[in-house]
Amino acid sequence: MTEYMKGIVKDKPEPGATWREDLPIPAIKDNELLIKVKAAAICGTDMHIYPWTAWAQQRLRLPMVFGHEFAGEVVAVGSTVRSFKVGDRVAGETHIPCNKCYQCQTGNQHNCNDMKIIGVHTEGCFADYIAIPVDCAWRLDDSLSFEIGAMLEPMGVAVHGVLAGDIGGKSIAIYGCGPIGLMGVGVAAACGASKIFAIDVFDQKLEVAKQMGADVTLNSRNDNVIDKILQATEGQGVDITVDFTGNGNAIKEGFAILRKGGRVTLVGLPNEPVALNLTDDIIYKEATVQGVTGRLMYKTWWQCNELLKSGKIDLSPVIGGKYALKDYDQAFSALKEGATGKMLLIP
């Protein structure tokens, strides 16, 4: 192993990042793994860090390597690690649980009271190597490529959101056809949804949603989404609405198209408070409303694994582009310009 590694560093409180070839390879603790990164992916979180938005300014301490969606090969294990060995192929879980709080001790490690996030609070994966706690390693099935492995973390968000309740034989409206929303469409199709409506403002994203299994695609800039969905459901509305946008108008619309007794699952993060009509849209409808964050550790990972192995979902249409890690500027620029799908970075 060489003494230094290459990577992308957020080193200045301004837009952009710096390519470095003299970064120290991380030293691992007793409970950690050193992973040689084989593929990484750009997340919406990184789209806050790279341009240095207020969200990033409040959370990061510079300088640091960022990025948190990745897969790779174990090259070193800590002295107390027994479940992994050198040569194992792994994907990375983003959430670092404390394993001490009430949430962690009641099976909710993904929502730890003292949660740390890889690539936000600790050094990230946009480099040749990353050190992670053993709790954050998921053994990658031999049938899955490293590129697909790098997409398991965001796929888990889609799985957690769509499968937060019964889905088989039910109609579902999915708001937002970014990578996670597109994977959500695929999950709904694979798990037996009776009719899938996909809503976005970009036609090219809606075209990919069709490939992932959407029955009806609606562009909310041009279509009257409420009228069209109510017409298609005989005035009842859909059984399930899942919002991946965080857009206040989309969230309100999602309640308007929900049938009585239906479920709304909120995954996207609004930038400001959203006012809802609690009387008509929740109380009188007896609606179930859920918030979803991250992935259940490790139920969601097993669900992702089995769905992919079954062949009922194919993530390849969601891959929007592949770039060498050093060409990260091109990948971020493509996303800023509205490119569809997940951008992969290959060290």
PDB file of all heavy atoms in Angstrom, residues 172-176 197-201 206 216-233 237-238 241 249-258:
ATOM      1  N   ILE A 172     -50.138   3.831  -5.875  1.00  0.00           N
ATOM      2  CA  ILE A 172     -49.163   4.688  -5.204  1.00  0.00           C
ATOM      3  C   ILE A 172     -48.771   5.841  -6.116  1.00  0.00           C
ATOM      4  O   ILE A 172     -48.625   5.663  -7.327  1.00  0.00           O
ATOM      5  CB  ILE A 172     -47.913   3.876  -4.784  1.00  0.00           C
ATOM      6  CG1 ILE A 172     -46.901   4.761  -4.030  1.00  0.00           C
ATOM      7  CG2 ILE A 172     -47.248   3.208  -5.983  1.00  0.00           C
ATOM      8  CD1 ILE A 172     -45.758   3.970  -3.401  1.00  0.00           C
ATOM      9  N   ALA A 173     -48.646   7.017  -5.516  1.00  0.00           N
ATOM     10  CA  ALA A 173     -48.135   8.187  -6.223  1.00  0.00           C
ATOM     11  C   ALA A 173     -46.776   8.528  -5.630  1.00  0.00           C
ATOM     12  O   ALA A 173     -46.652   8.705  -4.416  1.00  0.00           O
ATOM     13  CB  ALA A 173     -49.089   9.369  -6.085  1.00  0.00           C
ATOM     14  N   ILE A 174     -45.767   8.596  -6.487  1.00  0.00           N
ATOM     15  CA  ILE A 174     -44.413   8.915  -6.050  1.00  0.00           C
ATOM     16  C   ILE A 174     -44.042  10.292  -6.592  1.00  0.00           C
ATOM     17  O   ILE A 174     -44.004  10.500  -7.808  1.00  0.00           O
ATOM     18  CB  ILE A 174     -43.414   7.843  -6.514  1.00  0.00           C
ATOM     19  CG1 ILE A 174     -43.706   6.539  -5.760  1.00  0.00           C
ATOM     20  CG2 ILE A 174     -41.969   8.292  -6.300  1.00  0.00           C
ATOM     21  CD1 ILE A 174     -42.818   5.378  -6.149  1.00  0.00           C
ATOM     22  N   TYR A 175     -43.792  11.217  -5.679  1.00  0.00           N
ATOM     23  CA  TYR A 175     -43.408  12.577  -6.037  1.00  0.00           C
ATOM     24  C   TYR A 175     -41.893  12.706  -6.020  1.00  0.00           C
ATOM     25  O   TYR A 175     -41.247  12.432  -5.005  1.00  0.00           O
ATOM     26  CB  TYR A 175     -44.025  13.580  -5.057  1.00  0.00           C
ATOM     27  CG  TYR A 175     -45.453  13.940  -5.365  1.00  0.00           C
ATOM     28  CD1 TYR A 175     -46.491  13.118  -4.948  1.00  0.00           C
ATOM     29  CD2 TYR A 175     -45.767  15.086  -6.082  1.00  0.00           C
ATOM     30  CE1 TYR A 175     -47.813  13.434  -5.230  1.00  0.00           C
ATOM     31  CE2 TYR A 175     -47.089  15.414  -6.378  1.00  0.00           C
ATOM     32  CZ  TYR A 175     -48.106  14.585  -5.946  1.00  0.00           C
ATOM     33  OH  TYR A 175     -49.413  14.903  -6.237  1.00  0.00           O
ATOM     34  N   GLY A 176     -41.340  13.115  -7.150  1.00  0.00           N
ATOM     35  CA  GLY A 176     -39.906  13.309  -7.270  1.00  0.00           C
ATOM     36  C   GLY A 176     -39.228  12.137  -7.942  1.00  0.00           C
ATOM     37  O   GLY A 176     -39.222  11.022  -7.412  1.00  0.00           O
ATOM     38  N   PHE A 197     -48.125   5.977 -10.100  1.00  0.00           N
ATOM     39  CA  PHE A 197     -48.082   7.313 -10.684  1.00  0.00           C
ATOM     40  C   PHE A 197     -46.753   7.946 -10.290  1.00  0.00           C
ATOM     41  O   PHE A 197     -46.389   7.958  -9.110  1.00  0.00           O
ATOM     42  CB  PHE A 197     -49.224   8.187 -10.151  1.00  0.00           C
ATOM     43  CG  PHE A 197     -50.598   7.668 -10.455  1.00  0.00           C
ATOM     44  CD1 PHE A 197     -51.215   6.764  -9.606  1.00  0.00           C
ATOM     45  CD2 PHE A 197     -51.285   8.094 -11.583  1.00  0.00           C
ATOM     46  CE1 PHE A 197     -52.496   6.290  -9.868  1.00  0.00           C
ATOM     47  CE2 PHE A 197     -52.570   7.634 -11.856  1.00  0.00           C
ATOM     48  CZ  PHE A 197     -53.177   6.719 -10.996  1.00  0.00           C
ATOM     49  N   ALA A 198     -46.012   8.470 -11.258  1.00  0.00           N
ATOM     50  CA  ALA A 198     -44.756   9.166 -10.991  1.00  0.00           C
ATOM     51  C   ALA A 198     -44.920  10.624 -11.397  1.00  0.00           C
ATOM     52  O   ALA A 198     -45.375  10.919 -12.506  1.00  0.00           O
ATOM     53  CB  ALA A 198     -43.605   8.522 -11.750  1.00  0.00           C
ATOM     54  N   ILE A 199     -44.549  11.528 -10.485  1.00  0.00           N
ATOM     55  CA  ILE A 199     -44.746  12.961 -10.725  1.00  0.00           C
ATOM     56  C   ILE A 199     -43.423  13.696 -10.603  1.00  0.00           C
ATOM     57  O   ILE A 199     -42.681  13.497  -9.626  1.00  0.00           O
ATOM     58  CB  ILE A 199     -45.767  13.552  -9.721  1.00  0.00           C
ATOM     59  CG1 ILE A 199     -47.114  12.835  -9.821  1.00  0.00           C
ATOM     60  CG2 ILE A 199     -45.955  15.048  -9.970  1.00  0.00           C
ATOM     61  CD1 ILE A 199     -47.345  11.762  -8.789  1.00  0.00           C
ATOM     62  N   ASP A 200     -43.112  14.537 -11.584  1.00  0.00           N
ATOM     63  CA  ASP A 200     -41.899  15.348 -11.552  1.00  0.00           C
ATOM     64  C   ASP A 200     -42.131  16.556 -12.454  1.00  0.00           C
ATOM     65  O   ASP A 200     -43.208  16.701 -13.054  1.00  0.00           O
ATOM     66  CB  ASP A 200     -40.685  14.539 -12.017  1.00  0.00           C
ATOM     67  CG  ASP A 200     -39.363  15.109 -11.506  1.00  0.00           C
ATOM     68  OD1 ASP A 200     -38.874  16.091 -12.089  1.00  0.00           O
ATOM     69  OD2 ASP A 200     -38.829  14.586 -10.509  1.00  0.00           O
ATOM     70  N   VAL A 201     -41.112  17.419 -12.563  1.00  0.00           N
ATOM     71  CA  VAL A 201     -41.222  18.596 -13.433  1.00  0.00           C
ATOM     72  C   VAL A 201     -40.325  18.484 -14.657  1.00  0.00           C
ATOM     73  O   VAL A 201     -40.317  19.395 -15.496  1.00  0.00           O
ATOM     74  CB  VAL A 201     -40.888  19.889 -12.660  1.00  0.00           C
ATOM     75  CG1 VAL A 201     -41.914  20.125 -11.560  1.00  0.00           C
ATOM     76  CG2 VAL A 201     -39.478  19.856 -12.096  1.00  0.00           C
ATOM     77  N   LEU A 206     -39.096  11.646 -16.071  1.00  0.00           N
ATOM     78  CA  LEU A 206     -40.319  10.852 -16.179  1.00  0.00           C
ATOM     79  C   LEU A 206     -40.149   9.711 -17.179  1.00  0.00           C
ATOM     80  O   LEU A 206     -40.739   8.631 -17.010  1.00  0.00           O
ATOM     81  CB  LEU A 206     -41.494  11.744 -16.566  1.00  0.00           C
ATOM     82  CG  LEU A 206     -41.902  12.768 -15.491  1.00  0.00           C
ATOM     83  CD1 LEU A 206     -42.921  13.753 -16.052  1.00  0.00           C
ATOM     84  CD2 LEU A 206     -42.458  12.055 -14.268  1.00  0.00           C
ATOM     85  N   VAL A 216     -48.201   5.561 -14.991  1.00  0.00           N
ATOM     86  CA  VAL A 216     -48.635   6.891 -15.424  1.00  0.00           C
ATOM     87  C   VAL A 216     -47.591   7.896 -14.966  1.00  0.00           C
ATOM     88  O   VAL A 216     -47.183   7.895 -13.802  1.00  0.00           O
ATOM     89  CB  VAL A 216     -50.004   7.263 -14.819  1.00  0.00           C
ATOM     90  CG1 VAL A 216     -50.418   8.667 -15.264  1.00  0.00           C
ATOM     91  CG2 VAL A 216     -51.063   6.241 -15.202  1.00  0.00           C
ATOM     92  N   THR A 217     -47.133   8.747 -15.886  1.00  0.00           N
ATOM     93  CA  THR A 217     -46.199   9.812 -15.521  1.00  0.00           C
ATOM     94  C   THR A 217     -46.871  11.155 -15.744  1.00  0.00           C
ATOM     95  O   THR A 217     -47.563  11.352 -16.745  1.00  0.00           O
ATOM     96  CB  THR A 217     -44.896   9.739 -16.337  1.00  0.00           C
ATOM     97  OG1 THR A 217     -45.210   9.812 -17.731  1.00  0.00           O
ATOM     98  CG2 THR A 217     -44.154   8.439 -16.051  1.00  0.00           C
ATOM     99  N   LEU A 218     -46.669  12.069 -14.801  1.00  0.00           N
ATOM    100  CA  LEU A 218     -47.311  13.378 -14.865  1.00  0.00           C
ATOM    101  C   LEU A 218     -46.272  14.466 -14.609  1.00  0.00           C
ATOM    102  O   LEU A 218     -45.484  14.376 -13.661  1.00  0.00           O
ATOM    103  CB  LEU A 218     -48.422  13.479 -13.812  1.00  0.00           C
ATOM    104  CG  LEU A 218     -49.581  12.483 -13.977  1.00  0.00           C
ATOM    105  CD1 LEU A 218     -50.464  12.502 -12.740  1.00  0.00           C
ATOM    106  CD2 LEU A 218     -50.396  12.817 -15.216  1.00  0.00           C
ATOM    107  N   ASN A 219     -46.275  15.466 -15.466  1.00  0.00           N
ATOM    108  CA  ASN A 219     -45.408  16.623 -15.297  1.00  0.00           C
ATOM    109  C   ASN A 219     -46.229  17.707 -14.608  1.00  0.00           C
ATOM    110  O   ASN A 219     -47.155  18.259 -15.199  1.00  0.00           O
ATOM    111  CB  ASN A 219     -44.886  17.121 -16.650  1.00  0.00           C
ATOM    112  CG  ASN A 219     -43.864  18.227 -16.501  1.00  0.00           C
ATOM    113  OD1 ASN A 219     -43.999  19.117 -15.669  1.00  0.00           O
ATOM    114  ND2 ASN A 219     -42.814  18.177 -17.324  1.00  0.00           N
ATOM    115  N   SER A 220     -45.901  18.005 -13.370  1.00  0.00           N
ATOM    116  CA  SER A 220     -46.731  18.915 -12.583  1.00  0.00           C
ATOM    117  C   SER A 220     -46.668  20.356 -13.072  1.00  0.00           C
ATOM    118  O   SER A 220     -47.464  21.192 -12.641  1.00  0.00           O
ATOM    119  CB  SER A 220     -46.345  18.840 -11.102  1.00  0.00           C
ATOM    120  OG  SER A 220     -44.971  19.090 -10.917  1.00  0.00           O
ATOM    121  N   ARG A 221     -45.751  20.664 -13.994  1.00  0.00           N
ATOM    122  CA  ARG A 221     -45.737  21.993 -14.609  1.00  0.00           C
ATOM    123  C   ARG A 221     -46.831  22.124 -15.657  1.00  0.00           C
ATOM    124  O   ARG A 221     -47.353  23.214 -15.895  1.00  0.00           O
ATOM    125  CB  ARG A 221     -44.388  22.259 -15.270  1.00  0.00           C
ATOM    126  CG  ARG A 221     -43.264  22.586 -14.306  1.00  0.00           C
ATOM    127  CD  ARG A 221     -41.970  22.790 -15.051  1.00  0.00           C
ATOM    128  NE  ARG A 221     -40.888  23.227 -14.182  1.00  0.00           N
ATOM    129  CZ  ARG A 221     -39.617  23.280 -14.537  1.00  0.00           C
ATOM    130  NH1 ARG A 221     -39.255  22.920 -15.763  1.00  0.00           N
ATOM    131  NH2 ARG A 221     -38.698  23.690 -13.684  1.00  0.00           N
ATOM    132  N   ASN A 222     -47.179  20.991 -16.279  1.00  0.00           N
ATOM    133  CA  ASN A 222     -48.110  21.022 -17.405  1.00  0.00           C
ATOM    134  C   ASN A 222     -49.426  20.306 -17.124  1.00  0.00           C
ATOM    135  O   ASN A 222     -50.448  20.638 -17.734  1.00  0.00           O
ATOM    136  CB  ASN A 222     -47.457  20.379 -18.636  1.00  0.00           C
ATOM    137  CG  ASN A 222     -46.101  20.998 -18.960  1.00  0.00           C
ATOM    138  OD1 ASN A 222     -45.949  22.210 -18.899  1.00  0.00           O
ATOM    139  ND2 ASN A 222     -45.131  20.160 -19.295  1.00  0.00           N
ATOM    140  N   ASP A 223     -49.398  19.319 -16.245  1.00  0.00           N
ATOM    141  CA  ASP A 223     -50.589  18.504 -15.996  1.00  0.00           C
ATOM    142  C   ASP A 223     -51.289  18.938 -14.712  1.00  0.00           C
ATOM    143  O   ASP A 223     -50.638  19.329 -13.738  1.00  0.00           O
ATOM    144  CB  ASP A 223     -50.202  17.027 -15.869  1.00  0.00           C
ATOM    145  CG  ASP A 223     -49.603  16.462 -17.143  1.00  0.00           C
ATOM    146  OD1 ASP A 223     -50.157  16.735 -18.224  1.00  0.00           O
ATOM    147  OD2 ASP A 223     -48.567  15.766 -17.050  1.00  0.00           O
ATOM    148  N   ASN A 224     -52.606  18.821 -14.711  1.00  0.00           N
ATOM    149  CA  ASN A 224     -53.367  18.989 -13.475  1.00  0.00           C
ATOM    150  C   ASN A 224     -53.331  17.646 -12.748  1.00  0.00           C
ATOM    151  O   ASN A 224     -54.138  16.758 -13.010  1.00  0.00           O
ATOM    152  CB  ASN A 224     -54.808  19.415 -13.772  1.00  0.00           C
ATOM    153  CG  ASN A 224     -55.566  19.778 -12.505  1.00  0.00           C
ATOM    154  OD1 ASN A 224     -55.449  19.113 -11.477  1.00  0.00           O
ATOM    155  ND2 ASN A 224     -56.352  20.841 -12.581  1.00  0.00           N
ATOM    156  N   VAL A 225     -52.362  17.510 -11.874  1.00  0.00           N
ATOM    157  CA  VAL A 225     -52.096  16.212 -11.251  1.00  0.00           C
ATOM    158  C   VAL A 225     -53.294  15.724 -10.445  1.00  0.00           C
ATOM    159  O   VAL A 225     -53.683  14.551 -10.530  1.00  0.00           O
ATOM    160  CB  VAL A 225     -50.839  16.299 -10.357  1.00  0.00           C
ATOM    161  CG1 VAL A 225     -50.634  14.993  -9.592  1.00  0.00           C
ATOM    162  CG2 VAL A 225     -49.613  16.610 -11.209  1.00  0.00           C
ATOM    163  N   ILE A 226     -53.899  16.609  -9.677  1.00  0.00           N
ATOM    164  CA  ILE A 226     -55.024  16.188  -8.839  1.00  0.00           C
ATOM    165  C   ILE A 226     -56.162  15.660  -9.695  1.00  0.00           C
ATOM    166  O   ILE A 226     -56.688  14.563  -9.447  1.00  0.00           O
ATOM    167  CB  ILE A 226     -55.509  17.364  -7.954  1.00  0.00           C
ATOM    168  CG1 ILE A 226     -54.408  17.758  -6.960  1.00  0.00           C
ATOM    169  CG2 ILE A 226     -56.786  16.978  -7.215  1.00  0.00           C
ATOM    170  CD1 ILE A 226     -54.758  18.976  -6.128  1.00  0.00           C
ATOM    171  N   ASP A 227     -56.558  16.407 -10.730  1.00  0.00           N
ATOM    172  CA  ASP A 227     -57.661  15.969 -11.593  1.00  0.00           C
ATOM    173  C   ASP A 227     -57.345  14.638 -12.264  1.00  0.00           C
ATOM    174  O   ASP A 227     -58.195  13.728 -12.310  1.00  0.00           O
ATOM    175  CB  ASP A 227     -57.947  17.029 -12.658  1.00  0.00           C
ATOM    176  CG  ASP A 227     -58.707  18.226 -12.103  1.00  0.00           C
ATOM    177  OD1 ASP A 227     -59.126  18.162 -10.927  1.00  0.00           O
ATOM    178  OD2 ASP A 227     -58.864  19.213 -12.838  1.00  0.00           O
ATOM    179  N   LYS A 228     -56.143  14.521 -12.802  1.00  0.00           N
ATOM    180  CA  LYS A 228     -55.811  13.309 -13.545  1.00  0.00           C
ATOM    181  C   LYS A 228     -55.767  12.077 -12.637  1.00  0.00           C
ATOM    182  O   LYS A 228     -56.211  10.988 -13.024  1.00  0.00           O
ATOM    183  CB  LYS A 228     -54.470  13.490 -14.265  1.00  0.00           C
ATOM    184  CG  LYS A 228     -54.567  14.420 -15.484  1.00  0.00           C
ATOM    185  CD  LYS A 228     -53.271  14.480 -16.251  1.00  0.00           C
ATOM    186  CE  LYS A 228     -53.403  15.369 -17.494  1.00  0.00           C
ATOM    187  NZ  LYS A 228     -54.323  14.789 -18.493  1.00  0.00           N
ATOM    188  N   ILE A 229     -55.238  12.219 -11.428  1.00  0.00           N
ATOM    189  CA  ILE A 229     -55.172  11.060 -10.538  1.00  0.00           C
ATOM    190  C   ILE A 229     -56.553  10.710  -9.996  1.00  0.00           C
ATOM    191  O   ILE A 229     -56.917   9.526  -9.910  1.00  0.00           O
ATOM    192  CB  ILE A 229     -54.171  11.317  -9.396  1.00  0.00           C
ATOM    193  CG1 ILE A 229     -52.737  11.288  -9.958  1.00  0.00           C
ATOM    194  CG2 ILE A 229     -54.333  10.282  -8.280  1.00  0.00           C
ATOM    195  CD1 ILE A 229     -51.647  11.466  -8.930  1.00  0.00           C
ATOM    196  N   LEU A 230     -57.366  11.695  -9.684  1.00  0.00           N
ATOM    197  CA  LEU A 230     -58.717  11.396  -9.224  1.00  0.00           C
ATOM    198  C   LEU A 230     -59.534  10.737 -10.342  1.00  0.00           C
ATOM    199  O   LEU A 230     -60.313   9.805 -10.094  1.00  0.00           O
ATOM    200  CB  LEU A 230     -59.409  12.671  -8.731  1.00  0.00           C
ATOM    201  CG  LEU A 230     -58.849  13.252  -7.422  1.00  0.00           C
ATOM    202  CD1 LEU A 230     -59.593  14.532  -7.046  1.00  0.00           C
ATOM    203  CD2 LEU A 230     -58.946  12.230  -6.289  1.00  0.00           C
ATOM    204  N   GLN A 231     -59.362  11.190 -11.576  1.00  0.00           N
ATOM    205  CA  GLN A 231     -60.052  10.553 -12.691  1.00  0.00           C
ATOM    206  C   GLN A 231     -59.599   9.110 -12.861  1.00  0.00           C
ATOM    207  O   GLN A 231     -60.415   8.212 -13.127  1.00  0.00           O
ATOM    208  CB  GLN A 231     -59.792  11.335 -13.988  1.00  0.00           C
ATOM    209  CG  GLN A 231     -60.470  12.691 -14.052  1.00  0.00           C
ATOM    210  CD  GLN A 231     -60.032  13.508 -15.256  1.00  0.00           C
ATOM    211  OE1 GLN A 231     -59.377  12.997 -16.169  1.00  0.00           O
ATOM    212  NE2 GLN A 231     -60.379  14.794 -15.270  1.00  0.00           N
ATOM    213  N   ALA A 232     -58.313   8.865 -12.703  1.00  0.00           N
ATOM    214  CA  ALA A 232     -57.765   7.522 -12.899  1.00  0.00           C
ATOM    215  C   ALA A 232     -58.104   6.574 -11.762  1.00  0.00           C
ATOM    216  O   ALA A 232     -57.967   5.355 -11.905  1.00  0.00           O
ATOM    217  CB  ALA A 232     -56.245   7.601 -13.058  1.00  0.00           C
ATOM    218  N   THR A 233     -58.556   7.121 -10.629  1.00  0.00           N
ATOM    219  CA  THR A 233     -58.874   6.277  -9.461  1.00  0.00           C
ATOM    220  C   THR A 233     -60.362   6.358  -9.110  1.00  0.00           C
ATOM    221  O   THR A 233     -60.742   6.097  -7.968  1.00  0.00           O
ATOM    222  CB  THR A 233     -58.031   6.685  -8.243  1.00  0.00           C
ATOM    223  OG1 THR A 233     -58.270   8.084  -7.954  1.00  0.00           O
ATOM    224  CG2 THR A 233     -56.550   6.468  -8.489  1.00  0.00           C
ATOM    225  N   GLY A 237     -58.861   8.552  -5.141  1.00  0.00           N
ATOM    226  CA  GLY A 237     -57.493   8.908  -4.792  1.00  0.00           C
ATOM    227  C   GLY A 237     -56.629   7.667  -4.642  1.00  0.00           C
ATOM    228  O   GLY A 237     -57.126   6.533  -4.693  1.00  0.00           O
ATOM    229  N   VAL A 238     -55.356   7.866  -4.460  1.00  0.00           N
ATOM    230  CA  VAL A 238     -54.424   6.740  -4.359  1.00  0.00           C
ATOM    231  C   VAL A 238     -54.369   6.207  -2.927  1.00  0.00           C
ATOM    232  O   VAL A 238     -54.686   6.913  -1.968  1.00  0.00           O
ATOM    233  CB  VAL A 238     -53.000   7.141  -4.809  1.00  0.00           C
ATOM    234  CG1 VAL A 238     -52.967   7.467  -6.287  1.00  0.00           C
ATOM    235  CG2 VAL A 238     -52.474   8.314  -3.986  1.00  0.00           C
ATOM    236  N   THR A 241     -49.187   7.806  -0.913  1.00  0.00           N
ATOM    237  CA  THR A 241     -48.377   8.863  -1.500  1.00  0.00           C
ATOM    238  C   THR A 241     -47.025   8.853  -0.808  1.00  0.00           C
ATOM    239  O   THR A 241     -46.952   8.816   0.425  1.00  0.00           O
ATOM    240  CB  THR A 241     -49.010  10.257  -1.317  1.00  0.00           C
ATOM    241  OG1 THR A 241     -50.237  10.332  -2.039  1.00  0.00           O
ATOM    242  CG2 THR A 241     -48.074  11.339  -1.823  1.00  0.00           C
ATOM    243  N   ASN A 249     -45.437  22.436  -1.962  1.00  0.00           N
ATOM    244  CA  ASN A 249     -46.606  22.301  -2.836  1.00  0.00           C
ATOM    245  C   ASN A 249     -46.856  20.845  -3.203  1.00  0.00           C
ATOM    246  O   ASN A 249     -48.004  20.395  -3.261  1.00  0.00           O
ATOM    247  CB  ASN A 249     -46.420  23.140  -4.099  1.00  0.00           C
ATOM    248  CG  ASN A 249     -46.473  24.628  -3.813  1.00  0.00           C
ATOM    249  OD1 ASN A 249     -47.167  25.068  -2.902  1.00  0.00           O
ATOM    250  ND2 ASN A 249     -45.738  25.415  -4.586  1.00  0.00           N
ATOM    251  N   ALA A 250     -45.774  20.103  -3.460  1.00  0.00           N
ATOM    252  CA  ALA A 250     -45.926  18.690  -3.783  1.00  0.00           C
ATOM    253  C   ALA A 250     -46.486  17.921  -2.589  1.00  0.00           C
ATOM    254  O   ALA A 250     -47.346  17.037  -2.751  1.00  0.00           O
ATOM    255  CB  ALA A 250     -44.580  18.105  -4.208  1.00  0.00           C
ATOM    256  N   ILE A 251     -46.011  18.243  -1.393  1.00  0.00           N
ATOM    257  CA  ILE A 251     -46.503  17.563  -0.194  1.00  0.00           C
ATOM    258  C   ILE A 251     -48.002  17.817  -0.006  1.00  0.00           C
ATOM    259  O   ILE A 251     -48.780  16.885   0.254  1.00  0.00           O
ATOM    260  CB  ILE A 251     -45.706  18.025   1.044  1.00  0.00           C
ATOM    261  CG1 ILE A 251     -44.267  17.502   0.960  1.00  0.00           C
ATOM    262  CG2 ILE A 251     -46.378  17.547   2.336  1.00  0.00           C
ATOM    263  CD1 ILE A 251     -43.325  18.075   2.002  1.00  0.00           C
ATOM    264  N   LYS A 252     -48.420  19.060  -0.159  1.00  0.00           N
ATOM    265  CA  LYS A 252     -49.845  19.379  -0.023  1.00  0.00           C
ATOM    266  C   LYS A 252     -50.675  18.639  -1.073  1.00  0.00           C
ATOM    267  O   LYS A 252     -51.750  18.108  -0.784  1.00  0.00           O
ATOM    268  CB  LYS A 252     -50.051  20.882  -0.162  1.00  0.00           C
ATOM    269  CG  LYS A 252     -49.459  21.698   0.976  1.00  0.00           C
ATOM    270  CD  LYS A 252     -49.609  23.190   0.700  1.00  0.00           C
ATOM    271  CE  LYS A 252     -48.892  24.014   1.746  1.00  0.00           C
ATOM    272  NZ  LYS A 252     -48.976  25.466   1.472  1.00  0.00           N
ATOM    273  N   GLU A 253     -50.162  18.600  -2.293  1.00  0.00           N
ATOM    274  CA  GLU A 253     -50.874  17.911  -3.370  1.00  0.00           C
ATOM    275  C   GLU A 253     -50.969  16.427  -3.080  1.00  0.00           C
ATOM    276  O   GLU A 253     -51.980  15.778  -3.385  1.00  0.00           O
ATOM    277  CB  GLU A 253     -50.142  18.154  -4.689  1.00  0.00           C
ATOM    278  CG  GLU A 253     -50.894  17.697  -5.914  1.00  0.00           C
ATOM    279  CD  GLU A 253     -50.180  18.123  -7.186  1.00  0.00           C
ATOM    280  OE1 GLU A 253     -50.459  19.238  -7.673  1.00  0.00           O
ATOM    281  OE2 GLU A 253     -49.333  17.339  -7.669  1.00  0.00           O
ATOM    282  N   GLY A 254     -49.917  15.872  -2.482  1.00  0.00           N
ATOM    283  CA  GLY A 254     -49.919  14.450  -2.140  1.00  0.00           C
ATOM    284  C   GLY A 254     -51.026  14.081  -1.171  1.00  0.00           C
ATOM    285  O   GLY A 254     -51.597  12.985  -1.246  1.00  0.00           O
ATOM    286  N   PHE A 255     -51.351  15.005  -0.255  1.00  0.00           N
ATOM    287  CA  PHE A 255     -52.483  14.766   0.648  1.00  0.00           C
ATOM    288  C   PHE A 255     -53.802  14.894  -0.093  1.00  0.00           C
ATOM    289  O   PHE A 255     -54.754  14.155   0.181  1.00  0.00           O
ATOM    290  CB  PHE A 255     -52.432  15.750   1.823  1.00  0.00           C
ATOM    291  CG  PHE A 255     -51.480  15.374   2.907  1.00  0.00           C
ATOM    292  CD1 PHE A 255     -50.187  15.877   2.919  1.00  0.00           C
ATOM    293  CD2 PHE A 255     -51.864  14.501   3.919  1.00  0.00           C
ATOM    294  CE1 PHE A 255     -49.300  15.536   3.920  1.00  0.00           C
ATOM    295  CE2 PHE A 255     -50.988  14.154   4.931  1.00  0.00           C
ATOM    296  CZ  PHE A 255     -49.695  14.666   4.943  1.00  0.00           C
ATOM    297  N   ALA A 256     -53.880  15.830  -1.035  1.00  0.00           N
ATOM    298  CA  ALA A 256     -55.130  16.062  -1.762  1.00  0.00           C
ATOM    299  C   ALA A 256     -55.529  14.865  -2.611  1.00  0.00           C
ATOM    300  O   ALA A 256     -56.720  14.627  -2.831  1.00  0.00           O
ATOM    301  CB  ALA A 256     -54.999  17.308  -2.634  1.00  0.00           C
ATOM    302  N   ILE A 257     -54.542  14.104  -3.119  1.00  0.00           N
ATOM    303  CA  ILE A 257     -54.866  12.967  -3.992  1.00  0.00           C
ATOM    304  C   ILE A 257     -54.977  11.658  -3.213  1.00  0.00           C
ATOM    305  O   ILE A 257     -55.194  10.599  -3.802  1.00  0.00           O
ATOM    306  CB  ILE A 257     -53.797  12.791  -5.089  1.00  0.00           C
ATOM    307  CG1 ILE A 257     -52.422  12.500  -4.474  1.00  0.00           C
ATOM    308  CG2 ILE A 257     -53.757  14.021  -5.995  1.00  0.00           C
ATOM    309  CD1 ILE A 257     -51.377  12.063  -5.473  1.00  0.00           C
ATOM    310  N   LEU A 258     -54.869  11.713  -1.894  1.00  0.00           N
ATOM    311  CA  LEU A 258     -54.916  10.498  -1.073  1.00  0.00           C
ATOM    312  C   LEU A 258     -56.363  10.104  -0.791  1.00  0.00           C
ATOM    313  O   LEU A 258     -57.198  10.951  -0.466  1.00  0.00           O
ATOM    314  CB  LEU A 258     -54.189  10.752   0.254  1.00  0.00           C
ATOM    315  CG  LEU A 258     -53.973   9.539   1.149  1.00  0.00           C
ATOM    316  CD1 LEU A 258     -52.899   8.639   0.559  1.00  0.00           C
ATOM    317  CD2 LEU A 258     -53.595   9.985   2.568  1.00  0.00           C
TER     318      LEU A 258
END
